[in-house]
């Protein structure tokens, strides 16, 4: 995982500055607070941020932990740090508290930067754990100096002298309950330039992309940088808020945005959306979880053929895509598909022996391409298991049809995608939290269908002898240990778990039990 000698002539961030200078007075970025930046101003902000980092001791090869939501400074910092040949490590601010507490050590960072305006308490808590690491802030009043206070107009270093490779770590959950850090090296960000060139060559309209996902996530940064590298305008929102979303789409003539399926469902179910003006939309990307074909049918009726399905993950943000979704009388089943391989991505379905399966066969989805991660930071064994001969094992189960369309059927890993923002919840931490209650003998968690949130966390609990604890009390216990999103929505008490031949809890049998109960009801 160590950084290697790097040719500064290929630095994607330096190339970005050249593009920004070329785009000049065109509008580049509209921040959460409404401030608007031209490309010339964006260029100046990146230079100022790089100079501020240098002034406070950041040097090429350093690692910077970042806690922020969606300020414009996140964009400035990422480019500035990468111009310096640094490694950035982005903290998921919606993760359970205990997943953040060990982040700075896990990511092996040298500096900690946080948004003192939006996340003052969370940032101060992590700053207290930073030990001897310098702390820097976006905005005044934080534990460390304000990076925005430095307004240098020139770089205090020559980018041509920086030979350290820029890269980034993005936090995700793990099936073991420990946070994983997905490592994307410079090649990933350089590939975004190439994808942007392909977009421009396609003759598609200039992007006016509205971002509602947090810039701490790799998919959000992918969308922002592809917009900026192609000369479009990126609009930053801090989460999804109706009717602000409708107003912005209409007023700013937004032609591109991305929503997770649950957020799309909320939009479809909101009576106020019926009168909103979505006529400017060219692409409404639906990603983050599987979308219901029935709800996609409603979306097509509401918005027209502008829906684009994208399948990706932190380890590879773009895997497959299906644009301009519409009713295909010859292939109605494709509403349940996630499309065909995107860009240079290759997709294979393999069996348990890693042998490639023919079209129609069900197995694990394996992918390769330029957007693959380099590995999991500090987890060589997991990296070796996940990246095999240049291919990524996704942990998803699916099949390819004879036309190359991918259909996802299940997950190998026990991951539950739930909530309006399609949060990834893993079973083990929830099971551990429930089992930590003195009146609980054991707990098993599965994901069950939920009309609005895609999936819901459902727990089976074996109570201790003489237990009087209630489901509500256990939910509160789990919420206190993790958070409300991770706490099970329903808890069913059970005398004993069904077991597999190897003695493990048979979750397939538990899912069948749940479905049987639903049918009886």
């Amino acid at each position: 995982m160590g950084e290697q000698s790097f040719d500064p002539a290929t630095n994607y961030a330096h190339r970005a500055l050249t593009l920004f200078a070329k785009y000049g007075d065109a509008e580049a970025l509209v921040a959460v607070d409404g401030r608007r930046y031209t490309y010339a101003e964006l260029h100046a902000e990146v230079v100022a941020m790089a100079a501020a980092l240098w002034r406070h001791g950041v040097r090429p090869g350093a690692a910077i932990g970042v806690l922020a939501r969606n300020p414009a400074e996140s964009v400035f910092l990422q480019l500035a740090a990468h111009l310096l040949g640094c490694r950035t490590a982005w903290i998921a601010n919606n993760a359970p508290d205990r997943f953040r507490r060990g982040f700075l050590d896990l990511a092996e960072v040298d500096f900690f930067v946080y948004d003192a305006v939006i996340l003052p308490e969370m940032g101060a808590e992590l700053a207290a754990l930073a030990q001897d690491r310098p702390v820097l802030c976006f905005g005044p009043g934080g534990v460390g100096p304000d990076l925005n206070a430095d307004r240098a107009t020139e770089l205090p270093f020559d980018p041509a002298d920086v030979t350290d490779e820029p890269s980034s770590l993005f936090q995700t959950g793990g099936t073991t309950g420990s946070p994983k850090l997905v490592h994307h090296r410079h090649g990933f960000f350089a590939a975004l330039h190439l994808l942007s060139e392909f977009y421009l060559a396609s003759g598609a309209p200039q992007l006016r992309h509205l971002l509602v996902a947090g810039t701490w996530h790799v998919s959000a940064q992918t969308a922002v940088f592809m917009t900026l590298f192609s000369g479009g305008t990126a609009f930053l929102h801090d989460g999804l808020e109706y009717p602000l979303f409708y107003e912005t789409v209409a007023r700013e003539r937004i032609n591109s945005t991305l929503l997770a399926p649950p957020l799309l469902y909320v939009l479809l179910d909101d009576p106020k959306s019926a009168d909103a003006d979505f006529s400017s939309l060219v692409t409404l990307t639906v990603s983050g979880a599987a979308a219901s074909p029935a709800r996609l049918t409603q979306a097509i009726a509401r918005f027209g053929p502008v829906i684009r399905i994208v399948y990706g993950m932190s380890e590879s943000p773009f895997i497959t895509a299906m644009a301009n979704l519409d009713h295909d009388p010859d292939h109605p089943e494709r509403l349940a598909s996630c499309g065909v391989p995107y860009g240079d991505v290759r997709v294979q379905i393999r069996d348990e022996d890693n042998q490639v399966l023919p079209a129609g066969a069900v197995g694990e989805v394996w992918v390769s391409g330029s957007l693959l991660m380099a590995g999991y930071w500090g987890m060589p064994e997991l990296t070796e298991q996940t990246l095999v001969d240049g291919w990524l094992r996704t942990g998803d189960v699916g099949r390819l049809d004879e036309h190359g369309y991918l259909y996802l059927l299940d997950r190998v890993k026990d991951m539950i995608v739930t909530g309006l923002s399609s949060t990834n919840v893993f079973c083990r931490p929830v099971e551990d939290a429930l089992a930590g209650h003195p009146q609980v003998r054991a707990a098993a968690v599965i994901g069950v269908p939920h009309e609005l949130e895609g999936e819901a966390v459902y727990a089976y609990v074996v109570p201790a002898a003489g237990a009087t604890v209630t489901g509500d009390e256990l939910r509160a216990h789990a919420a206190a240990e993790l958070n409300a999103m991770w706490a099970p929505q329903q808890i069913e008490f059970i005398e004993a778990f069904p077991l597999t031949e190897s003695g493990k809890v048979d979750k397939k049998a538990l899912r069948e039990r749940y479905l049987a109960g639903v049918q009886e009801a």
Side-chain angles (χ1 to χ4, degrees):
M1 284 295 188
E3 307 303 333
Q4 300 176 350
S5 180
F6 178 73
D7 179 5
T10 68
N11 190 316
Y12 90 95
H14 189 263
R15 183 180 177 187
L17 286 185
T18 301
L19 281 175
F20 298 164
K22 170 187 171 184
Y23 293 143
D25 292 333
E27 190 168 67
L29 194 67
V30 180
V32 175
D33 61 7
R35 179 170 177 182
R36 310 178 86 94
Y37 297 86
T38 66
Y39 275 94
E41 290 168 335
L42 174 58
H43 184 289
E45 292 292 344
V46 174
V47 168
M49 182 66 73
L53 292 173
W54 183 278
R55 178 175 176 270
H56 291 290
V58 178
R59 293 295 181 269
I64 306 170
V66 188
L67 176 71
R69 291 177 65 89
N70 266 20
E73 287 90 345
S74 289
V75 178
F76 309 154
L77 176 73
Q78 180 73 311
L79 291 169
H82 282 174
L83 192 66
L84 264 166
C86 292
R87 171 168 53 83
T88 55
W90 296 83
I91 303 171
N93 55 76
N94 67 346
D97 290 346
R98 63 189 181 91
F99 282 14
R100 290 192 299 271
R101 293 184 188 121
F103 181 93
L104 300 179
D105 292 328
L106 180 65
E108 301 177 282
V109 304
D110 305 302
F111 294 81
F112 173 51
V113 176
Y114 76 95
D115 188 334
V117 177
I118 303 299
L119 299 170
E121 296 179 358
M122 191 182 296
E125 178 186 352
L126 279 179
L129 300 175
Q131 298 178 345
D132 58 348
R133 299 177 179 91
V135 177
L136 306 170
C137 295
F138 298 151
V143 173
D146 178 11
L147 290 169
N148 293 332
D150 293 276
R151 304 306 305 169
T153 58
E154 295 183 0
L155 291 173
F157 61 93
D158 186 346
D161 295 333
V162 177
T163 57
D164 294 85
E165 179 189 7
S167 67
S168 289
L169 305 179
F170 297 94
Q171 188 174 1
T172 183
T175 55
T176 62
S178 301
K180 295 181 297 185
L181 301 181
V182 171
H183 185 204
H184 282 291
R185 300 184 74 155
H186 178 264
F188 170 85
F189 295 95
L192 300 183
H193 276 295
L194 184 60
L195 291 174
S196 300
E197 290 176 359
F198 288 157
Y199 181 84
L200 286 172
S202 73
Q206 192 173 67
L207 286 168
R208 295 181 66 79
H209 183 80
L210 175 57
L211 182 79
V212 298
T215 50
W216 52 265
H217 197 280
V218 63
S219 64
Q221 290 200 12
T222 298
V224 168
F225 287 142
M226 285 188 64
T227 300
L228 296 177
F229 296 167
S230 61
T233 307
F235 296 79
L236 303 180
H237 277 193
D238 190 1
L240 187 61
E241 180 183 341
Y242 301 127
L244 178 62
F245 178 81
Y246 308 144
E247 295 169 355
T248 303
V249 170
R251 183 182 65 252
E252 302 290 354
R253 306 306 294 163
I254 298 298
N255 60 16
S256 171
T257 192
L258 184 152
L259 297 176
L263 294 178
L264 174 66
Y265 303 163
V266 170
L267 187 155
L268 291 172
D269 294 338
D270 182 4
K272 295 180 181 178
S273 72
D275 298 324
D277 180 6
F278 296 109
S279 61
S280 60
L281 280 180
V282 174
T283 302
L284 198 170
T285 299
V286 181
S287 184
S292 161
R295 302 314 300 265
L296 289 175
T297 298
Q298 295 177 13
I300 294 169
R302 175 72 61 84
F303 305 111
V306 302
I307 305 297
R308 179 179 70 158
I309 302 298
V310 169
Y311 163 52
M313 53 186 58
S314 296
E315 292 85 344
S316 182
F318 273 111
I319 295 176
T320 62
M322 183 165 53
N324 305 119
L325 201 61
D326 205 348
H327 301 292
D328 185 345
D330 296 325
H331 296 282
E333 75 282 357
R334 286 184 183 166
L335 281 179
S337 168
C338 49
V340 296
Y342 180 88
D344 67 350
V345 173
R346 295 175 61 199
V347 176
Q348 293 180 347
I349 305 298
R350 300 192 187 186
D351 62 18
E352 294 180 354
D353 297 321
N354 299 345
Q355 298 301 305
V356 180
L357 297 172
V362 175
E364 184 175 1
V365 180
W366 290 53
V367 303
S368 68
S370 57
L371 296 182
L372 257 58
M373 68 172 182
Y376 296 112
W377 188 263
M379 296 181 173
E381 293 183 1
L382 182 59
T383 297
E384 185 177 356
Q385 295 168 11
T386 308
L387 292 176
V388 181
D389 298 328
W391 288 80
L392 170 73
R393 302 186 61 171
T394 66
D396 289 327
V397 176
R399 62 178 176 83
L400 286 167
D401 69 14
E402 65 273 20
H403 302 289
Y405 284 81
L406 177 65
Y407 295 78
L408 296 180
L409 306 176
D410 205 341
R411 283 180 291 275
V412 175
K413 304 172 183 178
D414 287 328
M415 184 178 75
I416 301 168
V417 181
T418 186
L420 297 182
S421 58
S422 291
T423 297
N424 292 344
V425 172
F426 294 90
C427 298
R428 178 66 181 275
V430 185
E431 291 166 350
D432 288 348
L434 292 169
H437 191 283
Q439 296 187 40
V440 171
R441 181 179 297 168
V445 169
I446 62 172
V448 300
H450 189 282
E451 182 178 356
L452 177 61
E453 298 182 358
E455 289 184 295
V457 182
Y458 191 99
Y460 286 97
V461 169
V462 178
T468 59
V469 67
T470 67
D472 288 342
E473 290 170 341
L474 286 179
R475 279 195 295 274
H477 174 79
E481 178 71 18
L482 299 167
N483 62 28
M485 182 70 70
W486 285 57
Q489 290 194 18
Q490 290 181 276
I491 294 176
E492 181 176 341
F493 292 94
I494 189 172
E495 291 185 3
F497 294 138
L499 302 177
T500 65
E501 293 182 358
S502 61
K504 296 180 180 179
V505 175
D506 189 344
K507 291 196 173 181
K508 180 180 179 181
L510 288 178
R511 292 187 183 97
E512 292 173 350
R513 175 190 175 100
Y514 171 82
L515 291 174
V518 171
Q519 292 171 356
E520 290 177 2

